[in-house]
């Protein structure tokens, strides 16, 4: 593939995905990623050198009722966004296949393993490798423009697209998510994320009427885009670091 062909293919991916509501698109180098996550391809059965990762923002209004637990309104928004991401991923995969490259869309949200719960591929890890955000204290992908209020999907591909570079950890002095987590799973002092405590809380939330799923939304809501306490502001510029999360 020439540089011009790669550029044209990338433009086509951006056009398709933006037309379907995607707001952030990145490409991850999975050869580098597989050195950090050795079992990255274990559940897809074949390796791929690149992944296109896409993010759609949540409507902040759907999070207004989320205080210390998920609501049916948030659950609906979560599910609809997953559906729209799956449509975008399948269209992008089709375009890559038509251009001659083996490609595979990975579902936005499909649990295929427990302890810990996991999908075919971790979209968060792929997005961090592509540099569309960083892994925050909550373990969520945090983007400069939308905070953690995004959902993600990935397309694995053999297309030799130019890959992005990881962003530095930029939570700065912010500890908002740690303060509000109902499971006390997030460390404000750089300690380990307590996945087991988080999962137990999410299991408790499955008993909420008209939710019935392992979702939460509390740390997602806390990680707003206009967060002056973190390392960079929503325009991507350095922000004042403060301990007032
Ligand atoms: S709420 Fe603050 S500390 Fe938590 S992930 Fe977002 S920026 Fe980082
Ligand atoms: S999903 Fe909920 S329980 Fe888990 S870390 Fe976030 S706020 Fe805590």
């Amino acid at each position: 593939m020439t540089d011009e062909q790669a550029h044209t293919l990338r433009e086509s991916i951006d056009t398709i995905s933006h037309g379907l509501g995607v707001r952030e698109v990145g490409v991850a180098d999975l050869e580098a990623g597989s050195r950090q996550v050795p079992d990255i391809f274990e559940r897809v059965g074949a390796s791929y050198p690149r992944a296109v990762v896409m993010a759609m923002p949540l409507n902040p209004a759907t999070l207004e009722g989320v205080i210390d637990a998920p609501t049916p309104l948030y659950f609906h928004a979560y599910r609809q966004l997953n559906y729209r991401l799956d449509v975008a991923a399948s269209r992008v995969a089709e375009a890559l296949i038509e251009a001659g490259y083996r490609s595979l869309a990975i579902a936005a949200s499909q649990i295929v393993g427990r302890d810990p719960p996991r999908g075919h591929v971790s979209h968060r890890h792929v997005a961090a490798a592509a540099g569309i955000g960083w892994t925050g204290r909550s373990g969520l992908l945090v983007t400069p423009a939308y905070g953690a209020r995004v959902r993600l999907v990935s397309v694995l591909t053999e297309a030799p697209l130019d890959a992005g570079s990881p962003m530095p950890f930029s939570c700065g002095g912010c500890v908002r998510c740690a303060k509000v987590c109902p499971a006390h799973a997030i460390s404000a002092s750089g300690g380990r994320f307590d996945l087991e405590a988080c999962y137990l809380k999410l299991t408790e939330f499955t008993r909420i009427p008209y939710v019935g799923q392992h979702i939460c939304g509390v740390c997602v809501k806390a990680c707003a885009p206009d967060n002056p306490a973190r390392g960079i502001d929503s325009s991507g510029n350095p922000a004042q670091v403060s301990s007032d999360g």
Side-chain angles (χ1 to χ4, degrees):
M1 182 189 271
T2 64
D3 286 354
E4 194 181 334
Q5 286 169 328
H7 183 70
T8 303
L9 187 54
R10 176 59 200 257
E11 276 189 344
S12 152
I13 291 166
D14 288 346
T15 302
I16 293 167
S17 56
H18 283 128
L20 292 167
V22 166
R23 290 294 171 263
E24 303 282 357
V25 184
V27 175
D29 176 352
L30 295 182
E31 286 163 338
S34 64
R35 286 193 286 277
Q36 288 165 0
V37 186
D39 67 350
I40 194 168
F41 298 118
E42 195 177 278
R43 289 168 296 284
V44 296
S47 66
Y48 293 81
R50 294 283 186 273
V52 177
V53 60
M54 295 170 276
M56 275 189 198
L58 280 155
N59 174 356
T62 63
L63 288 160
E64 282 169 8
V66 175
I67 306 300
D68 56 5
T71 62
L73 196 70
Y74 172 61
F75 170 52
H76 180 70
Y78 167 96
R79 202 168 42 174
Q80 289 303 104
L81 218 46
N82 288 340
Y83 170 74
R84 292 176 61 204
L85 283 163
D86 285 343
V87 170
S90 62
R91 296 274 170 80
V92 166
E94 282 164 13
L96 290 163
I97 292 165
E98 276 168 22
Y101 299 101
R102 187 170 65 105
S103 301
L104 178 66
I106 301 297
S109 180
Q110 182 186 22
I111 300 294
V112 294
R114 300 274 180 212
D115 301 324
R118 48 168 78 175
H120 285 100
V121 168
S122 164
H123 301 305
R124 289 183 292 116
H125 284 112
V126 173
I132 66 171
W134 69 92
T135 303
R137 290 188 213 288
S138 59
L140 297 172
L141 191 276
V142 185
T143 63
Y146 303 103
R149 294 175 172 188
V150 290
R151 294 208 50 77
L152 303 164
V153 76
S154 313
V155 178
L156 309 182
T157 183
E158 286 188 339
L161 297 161
D162 284 343
S165 312
M167 288 178 74
F169 176 77
S170 301
C171 288
C174 177
V175 291
R176 285 184 181 186
C177 54
K179 282 184 174 178
V180 295
C181 171
H184 308 290
I186 304 168
S187 169
S189 56
R192 190 182 68 87
F193 177 78
D194 191 341
L195 182 60
E196 193 179 345
C198 170
Y199 190 65
L200 277 174
K201 184 56 74 176
L202 266 53
T203 302
E204 194 183 307
F205 290 157
T206 63
R207 295 195 283 275
I208 296 174
Y210 311 109
V211 172
Q213 294 282 323
H214 285 84
I215 63 166
C216 175
V218 176
C219 53
V220 171
K221 181 182 179 182
C223 198
D226 57 344
N227 181 350
R230 68 182 195 201
I232 57 177
D233 68 19
S234 58
S235 60
N237 296 316
Q240 193 84 29
V241 172
S242 144
S243 58
D244 181 20

